[in-house]
PDB file of all heavy atoms in Angstrom:
ATOM      1  N   ALA A  23     127.594 -41.033  25.225  1.00  0.00           N
ATOM      2  CA  ALA A  23     128.853 -40.271  25.520  1.00  0.00           C
ATOM      3  C   ALA A  23     130.050 -41.162  25.412  1.00  0.00           C
ATOM      4  O   ALA A  23     131.095 -40.707  24.853  1.00  0.00           O
ATOM      5  CB  ALA A  23     128.688 -39.671  26.898  1.00  0.00           C
ATOM      6  N   ALA A  51     120.196 -35.059  44.372  1.00  0.00           N
ATOM      7  CA  ALA A  51     120.293 -36.130  45.369  1.00  0.00           C
ATOM      8  C   ALA A  51     120.820 -35.518  46.695  1.00  0.00           C
ATOM      9  O   ALA A  51     120.312 -35.826  47.755  1.00  0.00           O
ATOM     10  CB  ALA A  51     121.213 -37.220  44.887  1.00  0.00           C
ATOM     11  N   PRO A  56     118.783 -35.205  52.918  1.00  0.00           N
ATOM     12  CA  PRO A  56     118.521 -34.744  54.298  1.00  0.00           C
ATOM     13  C   PRO A  56     117.049 -34.896  54.694  1.00  0.00           C
ATOM     14  O   PRO A  56     116.745 -34.970  55.925  1.00  0.00           O
ATOM     15  CB  PRO A  56     119.001 -33.277  54.320  1.00  0.00           C
ATOM     16  CG  PRO A  56     120.003 -33.215  53.265  1.00  0.00           C
ATOM     17  CD  PRO A  56     119.512 -34.185  52.149  1.00  0.00           C
ATOM     18  N   LEU A  62     118.247 -42.732  53.674  1.00  0.00           N
ATOM     19  CA  LEU A  62     118.941 -42.407  52.398  1.00  0.00           C
ATOM     20  C   LEU A  62     120.396 -41.926  52.624  1.00  0.00           C
ATOM     21  O   LEU A  62     121.001 -41.537  51.601  1.00  0.00           O
ATOM     22  CB  LEU A  62     118.182 -41.324  51.603  1.00  0.00           C
ATOM     23  CG  LEU A  62     116.716 -41.724  51.322  1.00  0.00           C
ATOM     24  CD1 LEU A  62     116.026 -40.519  50.638  1.00  0.00           C
ATOM     25  CD2 LEU A  62     116.635 -42.894  50.465  1.00  0.00           C
ATOM     26  N   TRP A  63     120.948 -41.902  53.764  1.00  0.00           N
ATOM     27  CA  TRP A  63     122.260 -41.308  53.987  1.00  0.00           C
ATOM     28  C   TRP A  63     123.309 -41.877  53.056  1.00  0.00           C
ATOM     29  O   TRP A  63     124.269 -41.213  52.619  1.00  0.00           O
ATOM     30  CB  TRP A  63     122.671 -41.528  55.445  1.00  0.00           C
ATOM     31  CG  TRP A  63     122.930 -42.952  55.810  1.00  0.00           C
ATOM     32  CD1 TRP A  63     121.995 -43.842  56.294  1.00  0.00           C
ATOM     33  CD2 TRP A  63     124.089 -43.724  55.579  1.00  0.00           C
ATOM     34  NE1 TRP A  63     122.581 -45.077  56.476  1.00  0.00           N
ATOM     35  CE2 TRP A  63     123.889 -45.016  56.020  1.00  0.00           C
ATOM     36  CE3 TRP A  63     125.390 -43.413  55.102  1.00  0.00           C
ATOM     37  CZ2 TRP A  63     124.820 -46.040  55.967  1.00  0.00           C
ATOM     38  CZ3 TRP A  63     126.347 -44.375  55.078  1.00  0.00           C
ATOM     39  CH2 TRP A  63     126.040 -45.692  55.473  1.00  0.00           C
ATOM     40  N   ILE A  70     128.575 -38.597  45.387  1.00  0.00           N
ATOM     41  CA  ILE A  70     129.899 -37.931  45.209  1.00  0.00           C
ATOM     42  C   ILE A  70     130.713 -38.793  44.299  1.00  0.00           C
ATOM     43  O   ILE A  70     131.366 -38.297  43.373  1.00  0.00           O
ATOM     44  CB  ILE A  70     130.513 -37.679  46.570  1.00  0.00           C
ATOM     45  CG1 ILE A  70     129.683 -36.653  47.350  1.00  0.00           C
ATOM     46  CG2 ILE A  70     131.954 -37.261  46.436  1.00  0.00           C
ATOM     47  CD1 ILE A  70     129.994 -36.547  48.803  1.00  0.00           C
ATOM     48  N   ALA A  71     130.709 -40.097  44.500  1.00  0.00           N
ATOM     49  CA  ALA A  71     131.520 -41.020  43.649  1.00  0.00           C
ATOM     50  C   ALA A  71     131.026 -40.973  42.140  1.00  0.00           C
ATOM     51  O   ALA A  71     131.822 -40.950  41.239  1.00  0.00           O
ATOM     52  CB  ALA A  71     131.405 -42.448  44.092  1.00  0.00           C
ATOM     53  N   PRO A  86     143.040 -36.404  24.983  1.00  0.00           N
ATOM     54  CA  PRO A  86     143.384 -37.791  24.621  1.00  0.00           C
ATOM     55  C   PRO A  86     144.842 -37.970  24.309  1.00  0.00           C
ATOM     56  O   PRO A  86     145.478 -37.131  23.686  1.00  0.00           O
ATOM     57  CB  PRO A  86     142.481 -38.039  23.417  1.00  0.00           C
ATOM     58  CG  PRO A  86     142.023 -36.735  22.920  1.00  0.00           C
ATOM     59  CD  PRO A  86     142.228 -35.753  24.055  1.00  0.00           C
ATOM     60  N   PRO A 118     118.655 -56.624  49.049  1.00  0.00           N
ATOM     61  CA  PRO A 118     119.920 -55.905  49.285  1.00  0.00           C
ATOM     62  C   PRO A 118     121.052 -56.323  48.382  1.00  0.00           C
ATOM     63  O   PRO A 118     122.002 -55.548  48.142  1.00  0.00           O
ATOM     64  CB  PRO A 118     120.257 -56.222  50.722  1.00  0.00           C
ATOM     65  CG  PRO A 118     119.312 -57.245  51.232  1.00  0.00           C
ATOM     66  CD  PRO A 118     118.222 -57.371  50.234  1.00  0.00           C
ATOM     67  N   CYS A 136     138.915 -51.884  28.814  1.00  0.00           N
ATOM     68  CA  CYS A 136     140.159 -51.195  29.083  1.00  0.00           C
ATOM     69  C   CYS A 136     141.393 -52.007  28.676  1.00  0.00           C
ATOM     70  O   CYS A 136     142.412 -51.434  28.215  1.00  0.00           O
ATOM     71  CB  CYS A 136     140.260 -50.910  30.601  1.00  0.00           C
ATOM     72  SG  CYS A 136     139.299 -49.482  31.132  1.00  0.00           S
TER      73      CYS A 136
END
Side-chain angles (χ1 to χ4, degrees):
L62 302 176
W63 66 268
I70 293 166
C136 283

